[in-house]
Amino acid sequence: MERNDIELLSPAGTWEALEAAVFAGADAVYLGGSHFGARAYAENFGPEEMTRAIRFAHLHRVRIYVTVNTLVDDAEMPDLGEYLCFLSNIGVDGIIVQDLGVIRVARQVAPELPLHASTQMTVTNSAGAVFTYHNGMEQAVMARETTLKDLKTVCSTTPGKIEGFMHGALCVCYSGQCLMSSLIGGRSGNRGRCAQPCRLPYTLVNKEGKDMLAKVDAGHYLLSPKDLNTLDVLPQLIETGIRSFKIEGRMKRPEYVAVVTDIYRRAIDSYLDGHYEVPQEDRDNIEQIFNRDFTTAYMVKKPGRTMMSDRRPNNRGVLLGRVQSLSRDHTAGTLKLDRDLHLGDGLEFWVSVGGRVGTSVDHMTVNGKPVPVARSGSSVTIPVPRGIRLNDRVFRTYDNELMQYAAQYFGEDHKKRIPLYAEVTARLGQPMEVTVTDEEGNTGTAHTGFIVEKARKHALDEAAVRKQLDRLGTTEFALGELICHLDEGVMVPMSEINEARRAAVEELTQKRLDAFLPPRKKAVWHREVLRQRENHGTRKHSQLSVLVDTLDKAKVALDAGADVLLVGGDSYSLPL
């Protein structure tokens, strides 16, 4: 199996997260636009930023998939059609969809735009995967409740590509099909506005209102699952035949995207190299960056209540140590460390009374001496907040050193540029020629409008040429090797060299983009598509639907002229 056979798919909710995913080794990135995405409260990408994102990712040979995975109302169809045309025309590599109506409109207005079945289509078996394929979806995201055994069967029996989640948050409801947020607060998860009520505290009571877990060692977050982590089963997951491995986290900060992408990139590559290995440092870091404790969900076995993070619905950090002693006024505490501690780290004390108390480490001493790092096994003294007691557990929720490591993957100062080879020819009496070439052999060539002439004062040399060609700061490129063919004692204005460089790089850029994704036929939305859809769905008369919960009511409704019976599994009563 080659690296090209496996796709590492990372999330991005911001531009910084997109850079983190691309530079940390993702093969593809999924993100949301300003419409029709299941994460309406992420920053998401507006039209201009989306266009820029496609260009940026494609130059770095990374695919972009856009989420169009909400359920869409009829009144939104004109906006949907225009949006799908926009996504196809800017070169999106695929859209992730749930609504069959979205699929139909996409096939009509943007037939060259690839479709991927969202996990919210609840594909759990080979019949579901085959269904998505025959309905035009080249890739299907499996429900997170699918076992390794079933994944292998699905992958071996469907002609389409199969995608699976391998890390991140889990939904308590089957494949994300949750109506709880909608019912409680009017914020529908299927419309991108889930309020995550599963992360709230609850009490399990019987019909008398008695707490059923009062005598059981359980927390209050009864519906909050742990996070998925497949590092222990990644070889088996790859061997099922899955070809796209998805990291959850479009609401996460760019440091999270960087760390998780980097770790899974190296883990997958080690498997492909024939010696699968995950260093302990990587396991520690992936736990540190965010965890609600980890699980493999349903992949290996049914985990029952052990899949739930019932004591902590958000990042719990990693256990750092315990409080060994306190100063007389309780303003300083000495911790016995199980891990290294750095200045700038954020800590949380799990106190016996009052829950959790947090602090940031801005000063610490070991044996009375200030230190920037306290090593595992040592005793370190730091200022502590009120309420801390002896033997309280201490968790690190913010690792300053890890965050600095993650920061190398995003931001203008850490851009990983594409090297260019340049060749410049300046012959007396002819235009200067500038040619740039990338590592794939794509080229761009431009000539100056100025005819090379004899220098009056300063003759052109390689250093002067390099200085002008190296001015690539607004591009994704960096100048590598430069070869100059310069007649002796000639000159060309710097502005002319700059313009030739710009034109040559722009030509190479377009060739590089076209080589990654060949140009498509322009997609155009027109209202006639909507009218055809409306005419197709018209009926001679309106239908009358009746909700019933007993057999007698069903008979009466039908006798009275009902066209449709609505029968809820939670309310229908069988005759005794």
Side-chain angles (χ1 to χ4, degrees), residues 69 95-98 103 114-123 128-129 131-133 136-143 161 163 165 246:
N69 56 344
I95 60 171
I96 304 169
V97 295
Q98 173 190 186
I103 296 169
L115 303 176
H116 295 186
S118 169
T119 187
Q120 288 179 283
M121 290 194 78
T122 321
V123 178
F131 171 84
T132 64
Y133 178 79
M137 286 162 278
E138 63 182 40
Q139 190 158 302
V141 189
M142 298 300 296
K161 294 180 181 178
E163 176 183 323
F165 281 92
K246 190 171 193 173

Side-chain angles (χ1 to χ4, degrees), residues 236-356:
Q236 299 95 300
L237 192 58
I238 294 173
E239 288 159 11
T240 64
I242 286 179
R243 288 297 171 260
S244 182
F245 295 83
K246 190 171 193 173
I247 298 167
E248 182 277 336
R250 282 197 293 130
M251 300 289 285
K252 295 290 200 306
R253 58 193 300 168
E255 291 89 349
Y256 172 89
V257 176
V259 169
V260 178
T261 300
D262 173 52
I263 289 172
Y264 274 99
R265 173 77 277 157
R266 288 184 285 104
I268 290 172
D269 289 348
S270 73
Y271 171 85
L272 295 176
D273 290 340
H275 53 86
Y276 182 70
E277 179 183 8
V278 181
Q280 186 59 46
E281 182 181 11
D282 284 355
R283 295 181 184 275
D284 293 342
N285 286 341
I286 212 165
E287 180 184 9
Q288 177 68 72
I289 199 67
F290 191 96
N291 83 90
R292 299 180 180 94
D293 206 352
F294 289 130
T295 177
T296 55
Y298 300 93
M299 289 188 179
V300 179
K301 60 182 179 181
K302 294 180 180 179
R305 64 165 289 190
T306 63
M307 197 178 84
M308 309 308 290
S309 177
D310 57 8
R311 296 188 181 278
R312 184 66 187 257
N314 50 16
N315 184 25
R316 65 194 297 145
V318 297
L319 182 62
L320 185 72
R322 287 183 180 269
V323 178
Q324 190 176 46
S325 64
L326 292 165
S327 63
R328 182 169 297 181
D329 60 0
H330 283 212
T331 60
T334 299
L335 316 180
K336 182 66 174 179
L337 298 179
D338 296 328
R339 303 171 187 259
D340 292 353
L341 176 66
H342 300 83
L343 286 176
D345 285 356
L347 305 183
E348 198 171 72
F349 295 82
W350 288 31
V351 298
S352 53
V353 177
R356 284 97 165 116

Side-chain angles (χ1 to χ4, degrees), residues 154-291:
V154 170
C155 292
S156 65
T157 55
T158 180
K161 294 180 181 178
I162 298 300
E163 176 183 323
F165 281 92
M166 69 176 180
H167 195 90
L170 292 169
C171 191
V172 68
C173 189
Y174 214 104
S175 198
Q177 290 294 328
C178 183
L179 298 178
M180 193 172 180
S181 177
S182 178
L183 294 172
I184 291 177
R187 288 171 51 175
S188 171
N190 280 318
R191 299 282 290 166
R193 295 177 174 84
C194 180
Q196 296 193 348
C198 56
R199 304 299 182 187
L200 298 176
Y202 294 95
T203 303
L204 180 64
V205 300
N206 61 16
K207 60 183 179 180
E208 287 81 27
K210 181 181 178 181
D211 186 353
M212 300 295 290
L213 301 178
K215 298 181 180 180
V216 178
D217 183 24
H220 296 292
Y221 301 95
L222 304 180
L223 300 181
S224 178
K226 297 176 181 177
D227 286 351
L228 180 65
N229 181 334
T230 61
L231 286 174
D232 285 339
V233 297
L234 188 56
Q236 299 95 300
L237 192 58
I238 294 173
E239 288 159 11
T240 64
I242 286 179
R243 288 297 171 260
S244 182
F245 295 83
K246 190 171 193 173
I247 298 167
E248 182 277 336
R250 282 197 293 130
M251 300 289 285
K252 295 290 200 306
R253 58 193 300 168
E255 291 89 349
Y256 172 89
V257 176
V259 169
V260 178
T261 300
D262 173 52
I263 289 172
Y264 274 99
R265 173 77 277 157
R266 288 184 285 104
I268 290 172
D269 289 348
S270 73
Y271 171 85
L272 295 176
D273 290 340
H275 53 86
Y276 182 70
E277 179 183 8
V278 181
Q280 186 59 46
E281 182 181 11
D282 284 355
R283 295 181 184 275
D284 293 342
N285 286 341
I286 212 165
E287 180 184 9
Q288 177 68 72
I289 199 67
F290 191 96
N291 83 90

Side-chain angles (χ1 to χ4, degrees), residues 45 125 132 159 204 219 321 342 467 477 491 504:
F45 290 73
N125 52 43
T132 64
L204 180 64
H342 300 83
K467 182 178 180 180
F477 302 103
M491 65 83 62

Side-chain angles (χ1 to χ4, degrees), residues 82 128 173 176 209 265 290 350 448 453 455 468 502 528 575:
E82 293 178 3
C173 189
R265 173 77 277 157
F290 191 96
W350 288 31
T448 62
E453 62 183 37
Q468 301 310 309
R502 186 204 61 76
E528 185 60 30

